[in-house]
């Protein structure tokens, strides 16, 4: 029909057909090299047309430019276009006094090419759920937020902002409440959660159609959580534990009170076995359980003795209240003696060394940072790029690392139809890079422009986001100094 009208208009006004037959887009990104993350290959001289928050066409420049017209066109300059990055493990929290400081972290994600974050729960669940809605409706500027809402815990847990459960009926009510809140997934932590209820909560949440993630109680094996249906394992330490030969005995001894926590961890540290690990990881792969290693946070803590973060430029982007939450780990690390420091280094290196084994077993690795309050110097935004650099350093290819930050998140949420590739029909969340990330993963930091839900933020706009946050933090610091 559109075509017929175009032909009629061309005939009426004696115009060449091409002048009126063009489809209208909002934005054309011309002459970009598209990074096909799934195929680990480049497609040169492509043009991408977006309308609203969706990509409507992708193809050779000549072909797309002939068929589409747009209000705005930018020249990709043969730079590298990737799907928007996802940080699959972030936190917001630190108490009601820090709501504004947490909200000020949102632009940091955009300025670093991160267009979606998965909030793995903190102590401000209601605020975060409100931001999720405000961002989706355009009232608040930030990355697309996917949130667990309040996490499920036991009675009187160490964590705040939780739903406390001490019985199956409590868990049933918790899952119903989370369903009512429309959470994107369920997070369970184990500071006081009873092991049998932990497994019950996983089954209940899965039965309610929700993905589940969490910290697995020491009295259980990772395998028990996998059999109950856990959807992802957060923190590589649990993947390491799954590779411990006597894991079941250690869990049973701890559950029965025959050994304490310290002894359990001593035996876990000493008991890793590559054969056991590979069998466990192949099972994770077969069951579709993803792993979010969150190595950057562990690296920062492990090497606090060597890296002095006091002069980190990035601290100027983090509010004073959030910076104060960093202190406890710094103090704890400062108390360690030489043996303690060496043990910390060794633990990090041992745990990180299972990363290529997970990849080899076919486990989908998700890039997530654990950035937010409490997690010292693990900075929202830049931390994801540091995480990817660690992935490559520990043995992943740049393409695998890039997939962990662009495709694994959408895959976990069942949203690959909408995210994870630069293709027609996918979200107009894109990052234009100066360099080729398939050659050097460090290229994800060389951001020329970010497209968020169809809106373009060029380098100047991204720098302004950072400068604005810096001014905000400076004003908070000045007020705090008074
Ligand atoms: Zn976390």
């Amino acid at each position: 029909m559109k075509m017929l009208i175009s032909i009629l208009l061309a005939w009426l006004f004696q115009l060449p057909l091409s002048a009126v037959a063009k489809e209208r887009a909002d934005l054309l990104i011309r002459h970009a090299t598209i990074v096909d993350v799934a195929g680990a290959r480049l497609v040169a001289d492509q043009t991408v047309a977006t309308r609203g928050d969706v990509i409507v066409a992708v193809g050779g420049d000549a072909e797309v430019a002939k068929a589409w017209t747009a209000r705005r066109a930018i020249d990709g300059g043969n730079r590298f276009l990737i799907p928007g990055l996802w940080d699959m493990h972030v936190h917001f929290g630190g108490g009601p006094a820090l709501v504004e400081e947490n909200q000020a972290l949102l632009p940091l994600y955009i300025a670093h090419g991160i267009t979606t974050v998965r909030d793995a729960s903190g102590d401000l669940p209601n605020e975060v759920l409100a931001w999720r809605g405000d961002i989706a409706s355009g009232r608040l500027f930030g990355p697309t937020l996917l949130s667990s809402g309040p996490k499920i815990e036991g009675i009187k847990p160490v964590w705040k902002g939780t739903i406390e459960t001490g019985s199956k009926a409590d868990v049933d009510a918790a899952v119903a409440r989370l369903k009512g809140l429309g959470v994107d997934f369920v997070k369970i932590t184990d500071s006081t959660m009873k092991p049998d209820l932990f497994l019950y909560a996983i089954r209940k949440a899965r039965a309610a159609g929700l993905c589940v993630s969490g910290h697995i109680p020491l009295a259980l094996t990772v395998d028990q959580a996998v059999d109950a249906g856990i959807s992802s394992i957060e923190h590589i330490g649990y993947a390491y534990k799954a590779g411990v030969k006597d894991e079941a005995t250690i869990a049973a001894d701890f559950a029965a009170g025959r050994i304490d926590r310290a002894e359990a961890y001593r035996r876990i540290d000493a008991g890793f076995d590559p054969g056991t690990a590979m069998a466990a990881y192949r099972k994770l792969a077969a069951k579709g359980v993803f792993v979010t290693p969150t190595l950057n946070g562990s690296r920062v803590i492990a090497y606090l003795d060597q890296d002095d973060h006091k002069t980190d430029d990035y601290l100027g982007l983090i509010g004073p209240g959030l910076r104060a939450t960093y202190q406890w780990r710094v103090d704890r690390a400062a108390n360690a003696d030489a043996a303690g420091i060496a043990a910390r280094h060794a633990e990090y290196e041992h745990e990180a060394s299972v990363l290529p084994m997970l990849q080899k077993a076919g486990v989908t690795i998700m890039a997530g940072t654990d950035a937010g309050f409490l997690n010292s110097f693990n900075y929202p935004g830049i931390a994801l790029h540091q995480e990817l650099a660690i992935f490559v350093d520990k043995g992943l290819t740049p393409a695998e690392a890039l997939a962990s930050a662009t495709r694994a998140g959408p895959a976990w949420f069942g949203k690959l139809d909408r995210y994870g590739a630069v293709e027609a029909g996918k979200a107009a969340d894109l990052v234009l890079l100066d360099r080729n990330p398939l050659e050097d993963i460090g290229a994800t930091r060389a951001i020329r422009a970010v497209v968020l839900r169809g809106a373009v933020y060029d380098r100047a706009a991204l720098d302004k986001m950072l400068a604005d946050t810096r001014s905000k933090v400076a004003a908070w610091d000045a007020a705090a100094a008074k």
Side-chain angles (χ1 to χ4, degrees), residues 135-152:
I135 289 169
S137 66
R139 283 193 301 272
L140 178 65
F141 180 71
T144 297
L145 242 171
L146 300 168
S147 176
S148 65
K151 51 188 168 278
I152 297 181

Side-chain angles (χ1 to χ4, degrees), residues 89-91 120-121 187 215 234-235 294 370-371 375:
H89 194 125
V90 309
H91 294 286
S121 195
K187 174 100 183 263
H215 295 179
E234 306 303 308
H235 315 305
T294 68
D370 218 1
N375 296 334

Side-chain angles (χ1 to χ4, degrees), residues 443-454:
T444 58
R445 303 172 201 223
I447 299 174
R448 181 56 36 192
V450 173
V451 179
L452 175 68
R453 294 183 285 275

